[in-house]
Amino acid sequence: IFSRASESKPSLYDLKTNWRNTKNEKVSIDIARGSLTLIAMVYTSCAHACPMTISKVQEIQKDLLAAGFKNIKVVLASFDAKNDRPERLKKYQEARKLAQDQWIFLSPESESDARQLAVTLGISYKDLGNGDFSHSNIIALLDKNGIQLASIDNLNSSADVFVSAMKSKEENSK
């Protein structure tokens, strides 16, 4: 019989994985600790789903800002450990005109680091070879301590779940 000692949810920031930012600095997955964080996994050579994921994150970010929630960071971690090195992620971020003070792109140190994050977020992916991946599209919202507050697993899902989760968190902390 499994019993939970406390009702607290685990923090994604407890994950011991190794990443590099676009400046090629070694960082951990808790790089956005202290901020509301939208997190997703993408890869830069993706022609369809990943650009749509980024657009969806921008929509969610806009909705959260409109609802009065500020200081929202975005972490996009790649699962393409072989090709998405820091310099490539930097060029991609610049090409997409994604603000460096809000958007954090992470390159995994190893395939294992990418896989651990993906499993924790509930993202499945498979390297199809030739630079392509089959993957699910999950976007999650983390509180300032890395606790997941909400997520969507479909890019057609409403962003309302994120605003509702934040309003609920606000009410529960009063």
Side-chain angles (χ1 to χ4, degrees):
I1 295 174
F2 176 78
S3 76
R4 185 178 267 191
S6 79
E7 286 301 311
S8 67
K9 295 180 184 177
S11 170
L12 182 79
Y13 295 160
D14 292 337
L15 198 61
K16 301 297 178 220
T17 53
N18 299 298
W19 302 86
R20 295 244 171 214
N21 65 15
T22 55
K23 296 175 184 164
N24 200 25
E25 298 165 331
K26 192 170 182 168
V27 296
S28 64
I29 200 64
D30 72 349
I31 192 167
R33 184 184 293 271
S35 301
L36 284 178
T37 304
L38 290 166
I39 187 168
M41 293 188 79
V42 297
Y43 70 105
T44 61
S45 59
C46 181
H48 304 290
C50 295
M52 289 171 46
T53 297
I54 290 171
S55 294
K56 188 67 172 186
V57 168
Q58 289 173 309
E59 176 189 323
I60 296 163
Q61 191 179 32
K62 194 173 94 185
D63 290 351
L64 286 168
L65 285 168
F69 300 105
K70 311 264 185 267
N71 192 22
I72 302 161
K73 300 281 187 193
V74 176
V75 172
L76 293 179
S78 177
F79 41 75
D80 187 350
K82 185 170 53 177
N83 298 306
D84 279 345
R85 305 315 308 147
E87 183 60 32
R88 184 170 178 165
L89 292 176
K90 182 178 182 177
K91 286 178 181 168
Y92 186 82
Q93 182 174 16
E94 290 168 352
R96 295 285 314 238
K97 296 178 174 53
L98 301 169
Q100 292 183 9
D101 61 333
Q102 292 178 332
W103 292 71
I104 302 164
F105 280 77
L106 297 178
S107 172
E109 289 273 301
S110 70
E111 164 64 27
S112 172
D113 291 321
R115 184 66 64 188
Q116 285 181 63
L117 178 60
V119 167
T120 303
L121 289 171
I123 295 171
S124 58
Y125 71 92
K126 180 179 179 181
D127 187 342
L128 301 174
N130 72 352
D132 282 332
F133 289 80
S134 168
H135 60 91
S136 53
N137 301 300
I138 292 177
I139 301 169
L141 174 67
L142 308 177
D143 74 5
K144 63 183 178 149
N145 297 312
I147 308 290
Q148 186 171 314
L149 302 174
S151 68
I152 57 171
D153 62 3
N154 182 321
L155 297 178
N156 294 320
S157 295
S158 169
D160 294 347
V161 65
F162 296 101
V163 173
S164 296
M166 285 307 301
K167 286 182 178 174
S168 174
K169 180 173 174 52
E170 241 182 15
E171 288 172 14
N172 290 338
S173 65
K174 288 181 181 176

